[in-house]
Amino acid sequence: MALIGRFNSLQVVKHTDFGLYLDGGPDGEILLPKRYVPKDEPTEVGEWLNVFLYLDSEDRPVATTLTPKVQVGGFASLKVVEINRVGLFLDWGLPKDLLLPHSEEKRPLQVGDYCVVHVYLDKRTRRITATARLDRYLDNTPPRYKPGQAVDLLVVEATDLGFKAIINGLHWGLIHKNEVFKFLRSGMREQGYIKEIRPDGKISLSLQPIGERATTGLAEQILDKLRSEGGVLQISDKSPPELISKLFGVSKGNFKKAIGGLYKQGLIRIHEDRIELV
């Protein structure tokens, strides 16, 4: 069965002057308009095409070879391009904008604002719809992460404690303020690391590797930077955290561990205001 709001591999069943018709199973023949038909090579009846399905203005399934910014079941940060009495319309990379009903807003938005949304298929109308009310789509399965595990993050919003982020499209997590060593804003996608899973199930995140992996990779960065700067860097374990974060994007604690390890290996000298290659 063809899935609305997702990519499908469908078979070409008919050529017409205005496009190709594809076998949509129970949905019948689905039109791929001529402007989306691949032009680099002929497409014959019986061939299979990978297409994205959505509903046109008359709620009929239609295919495209364009790639939307998000599929049904996914999360994305999208721009508001129009607002009317029905709801807000978001740019998701297709000619027909994505509807965010007013009832699914979490906060007032204006044209030009970006909003992190989840995309779902309305059970009654089969229309692809967005919601900014994310809680019901997250934390529905037990977290099975391990401390130090690398994960994909979508930053959602700033809080008094730090930044809330979606982990692998499945769970909420929090990047605490003391783990933020770079500019972050809603909608950014980052690689992160599991720092801790608390007894209450809440997950703490880090933007840098945890434990030995953190200092090993950082030590190599420091050595590379020293070599490129002629063997001297005007930074040390007494330097302010802001300078360390600006140069290496890490905490002062991890920086001190890394240069301490390099010092013990006899690779660098540490002074009050600088470090030097031996």
Side-chain angles (χ1 to χ4, degrees):
M1 184 175 68
L3 299 175
I4 303 297
R6 297 182 184 272
F7 279 97
N8 295 255
S9 183
L10 301 182
Q11 193 171 29
V12 178
V13 294
K14 186 172 26 177
H15 280 267
T16 70
D17 291 340
F18 43 86
L20 303 177
Y21 277 96
L22 311 174
D23 181 6
D27 284 307
E29 294 179 350
I30 297 175
L31 175 65
L32 174 66
K34 188 175 182 179
R35 63 183 178 276
Y36 301 131
V37 175
K39 295 180 174 60
D40 51 350
E41 57 185 56
T43 305
E44 305 294 337
V45 170
E47 287 190 29
W48 295 79
L49 290 178
N50 192 39
V51 294
F52 183 82
L53 298 184
Y54 64 106
L55 300 184
D56 65 13
S57 56
E58 297 180 17
D59 290 339
R60 297 172 302 189
V62 64
T64 178
T65 49
L66 296 177
T67 301
K69 297 174 183 177
V70 61
Q71 296 187 63
V72 164
F75 297 85
S77 176
L78 303 177
K79 184 179 181 180
V80 180
V81 293
E82 183 185 345
I83 300 175
N84 61 26
R85 62 181 181 80
V86 176
L88 300 87
F89 291 86
L90 311 176
D91 174 15
W92 66 320
L94 296 184
K96 183 182 178 185
D97 296 323
L98 179 64
L99 173 65
L100 170 63
H102 286 301
S103 60
E104 296 297 329
E105 281 184 270
K106 189 176 179 182
R107 60 181 176 84
L109 294 166
Q110 305 294 326
V111 171
D113 289 344
Y114 282 80
C115 179
V116 176
V117 296
H118 176 78
V119 178
Y120 66 97
L121 204 61
D122 185 281
K123 292 180 180 178
R124 184 176 60 86
T125 65
R126 293 183 77 200
R127 291 174 184 164
I128 305 169
T129 311
T131 177
R133 300 183 181 277
L134 308 180
D135 288 343
R136 73 190 82 154
Y137 301 102
L138 294 166
D139 295 334
N140 294 324
T141 58
R144 303 189 184 279
Y145 310 109
K146 296 179 181 178
Q149 180 179 337
V151 290
D152 294 321
L153 303 179
L154 173 59
V155 179
V156 175
E157 62 183 354
T159 72
D160 292 339
L161 298 176
F163 285 86
K164 288 180 70 176
I166 296 171
I167 307 167
N168 290 351
L170 294 171
H171 300 95
W172 278 120
L174 182 67
I175 310 165
H176 288 272
K177 282 183 177 179
N178 63 351
E179 291 289 342
V180 178
F181 309 112
K182 61 186 292 185
F183 172 76
L184 289 181
R185 62 167 173 76
S186 175
M188 291 180 68
R189 292 189 180 272
E190 299 286 333
Q191 182 176 67
Y193 301 87
I194 302 296
K195 186 175 183 182
E196 178 189 16
I197 301 179
R198 293 170 28 182
D200 61 3
K202 292 184 177 178
I203 304 171
S204 297
L205 300 166
S206 173
L207 292 177
Q208 52 191 348
I210 305 297
E212 187 177 338
R213 287 177 59 196
T215 53
T216 301
L218 179 56
E220 291 299 322
Q221 278 185 265
I222 294 169
L223 288 175
D224 288 343
K225 187 74 172 173
L226 277 164
R227 293 179 188 117
S228 68
E229 297 293 328
V232 180
L233 284 178
Q234 300 300 320
I235 190 171
S236 186
D237 54 2
K238 302 293 193 296
S239 298
E242 296 77 17
L243 177 60
I244 294 168
S245 176
K246 183 178 179 181
L247 272 181
F248 295 104
V250 299
S251 67
K252 184 170 181 175
N254 276 350
F255 177 76
K256 289 174 71 173
K257 289 175 187 174
I259 64 172
L262 293 173
Y263 174 78
K264 289 176 182 176
Q265 295 174 62
L267 298 175
I268 67 169
R269 298 188 187 93
I270 300 175
H271 300 279
E272 285 284 323
D273 60 344
R274 67 192 187 282
I275 57 176
E276 298 176 349
L277 273 176
V278 172

